[in-house]
Amino acid sequence: MSDIPSTVANADLPIYGTLGMTFMEFPVVSDLGSSDAEVIVAGVPFDMATTGRPGARFGPSGVRQASAQLIWEGARWPWSFALDDHLKVADSGNVLFKHGEPQTMVDNLQQHIGAILDAGKSSLTFGGDHFITLPVLRAYAKQHGPLALIHFDAHTDTYSGGTQYDHGTLFHHAVEEGLLDTEHSIQIGIRTTYDVDGHPFEVLDAAWVGDHGPHAILERIHARVGDKKAYVSFDIDGLDPAFAPGTGTPVSGGMSMDCALKVIRGLQGLNLVGMDVVEVAPAYDHAEITSLAGATLALEYLYVLASNKMAGV
């Protein structure tokens, strides 16, 4: 019997919930208790909290489809090992909810991630818009307590205005709810306005990132996070639109894909407990550039977990 909570009864016509291919062709899992997977992939086809262009509901399918370009490599450059030899990953499909009723997404997603964590596993979640990170963090904080946040984005998402369901307010609510350890959290690539006075996180803005490069970014991340349990949230608009045009709120002047990959690889040694990749909107993409970027960042994160496991971190 499946121990992933059934959400079908709460999902009228889950038209975006159907799973095509899995991420990296990892096996499908429905019974967490009998699975030897250490990391569980979940998709959240939700974009009702967007303030810009909609379409991130198709992000999970876009990222999974683009991952087909990464499967054939085996031992992925620049790593010296094949991921499957050191880390077991499975795909639990998409979280179902009633389209048009955002609270059903919040409830079902938090329950879904909670079940993954209760089984002693960690999650890799594909959005969907950035609001999906809030219920994920609620599940994580219930299990681990307040987490250090490593957040890549063009926006801080700490704005106190907006509606109850808003992809620009999620970290404001996360701080208010005590889900994050603000003294050990950091935001990278920010290039939109925010209230600097009293801002809860350290910020490496896009200009600083561009001037100083991956090595300096990693020095600041490691110094800030230390040995705290850390959650990584990568809004794809943290990348410059040249590398990620397929997103709802593109902002020029962002990180290059090369820089982002070097930073993700450099997270080795940190106590990483989960990650999400959000705001991929394939309708605005060209040649799967953005979907491929999201899939590649997620795969690099899995290699970092494998490397940490091998090193006993």
Side-chain angles (χ1 to χ4, degrees):
M1 183 177 180
S2 172
D3 58 359
I4 293 180
S6 174
T7 58
V8 175
N10 294 323
D12 294 341
L13 299 176
I15 55 176
Y16 305 111
T18 303
L19 181 64
M21 70 170 287
T22 65
F23 182 62
M24 295 294 297
E25 291 190 341
F26 291 132
V28 176
V29 61
S30 58
D31 186 348
L32 293 173
S34 63
S35 172
D36 64 352
E38 299 151 273
V39 181
I40 305 296
V41 174
V44 191
F46 175 87
D47 61 9
M48 293 185 65
T50 54
T51 52
R53 304 182 299 192
R57 68 186 64 183
F58 302 110
S61 61
V63 170
R64 287 182 173 113
Q65 181 174 323
S67 74
Q69 307 302 322
L70 306 173
I71 295 168
W72 60 270
E73 293 189 49
R76 176 172 172 75
W77 182 90
W79 305 94
S80 61
F81 60 89
L83 181 69
D84 289 348
D85 290 341
H86 298 281
L87 189 74
K88 300 298 182 183
V89 186
D91 194 324
S92 64
N94 289 336
V95 174
L96 305 182
F97 54 91
K98 289 184 179 181
H99 181 69
E101 297 186 17
Q103 191 59 44
T104 64
M105 184 282 293
V106 173
D107 295 340
N108 291 351
L109 175 55
Q110 185 172 342
Q111 186 182 26
H112 190 85
I113 299 298
I116 291 171
L117 300 180
D118 287 344
K121 307 174 188 302
S122 67
S123 68
L124 171 59
T125 308
F126 298 137
D129 66 48
H130 213 158
F131 180 75
I132 68 111
T133 303
L134 183 57
V136 173
L137 288 176
R138 286 170 178 160
Y140 264 91
K142 185 177 180 180
Q143 181 80 228
H144 295 290
L147 298 173
L149 175 69
I150 305 171
H151 172 211
F152 300 85
D153 207 322
H155 317 83
T156 64
D157 293 345
T158 55
Y159 312 106
S160 58
T163 62
Q164 181 178 357
Y165 308 102
D166 189 323
H167 70 162
T169 65
L170 68 141
F171 292 125
H172 167 76
H173 293 299
V175 171
E176 291 289 306
E177 295 176 23
L179 310 180
L180 298 174
D181 183 341
T182 58
E183 295 301 313
H184 294 276
S185 296
I186 188 166
Q187 298 178 304
I188 302 103
I190 305 302
R191 53 193 186 278
T192 51
T193 187
Y194 65 98
D195 188 0
V196 176
D197 294 335
H199 189 70
F201 310 120
E202 180 177 354
V203 172
L204 306 181
D205 66 35
W208 191 96
V209 166
D211 288 342
H212 290 81
H215 181 73
I217 297 168
L218 285 165
E219 284 187 338
R220 296 284 289 272
I221 291 174
H222 280 264
R224 181 74 171 182
V225 174
D227 61 357
K228 301 295 183 180
K229 292 180 179 180
Y231 184 88
V232 180
S233 186
F234 203 112
D235 185 324
I236 207 69
D237 71 30
L239 298 174
D240 188 86
F243 303 94
T247 189
T249 50
V251 182
S252 296
M255 298 174 70
S256 71
M257 190 61 181
D258 176 66
C259 178
L261 288 173
K262 287 174 179 174
V263 173
I264 293 296
R265 292 181 194 127
L267 299 182
Q268 294 173 78
L270 294 177
N271 188 2
L272 304 174
V273 296
M275 182 187 191
D276 61 57
V277 178
V278 298
E279 299 284 357
V280 173
Y284 312 108
D285 214 350
H286 170 70
E288 295 186 318
I289 292 172
T290 313
S291 294
L292 180 62
T296 304
L297 291 164
L299 182 57
E300 291 297 321
Y301 169 77
L302 293 175
Y303 269 92
V304 170
L305 293 187
S307 177
N308 281 351
K309 180 183 175 184
M310 294 163 64
V313 176

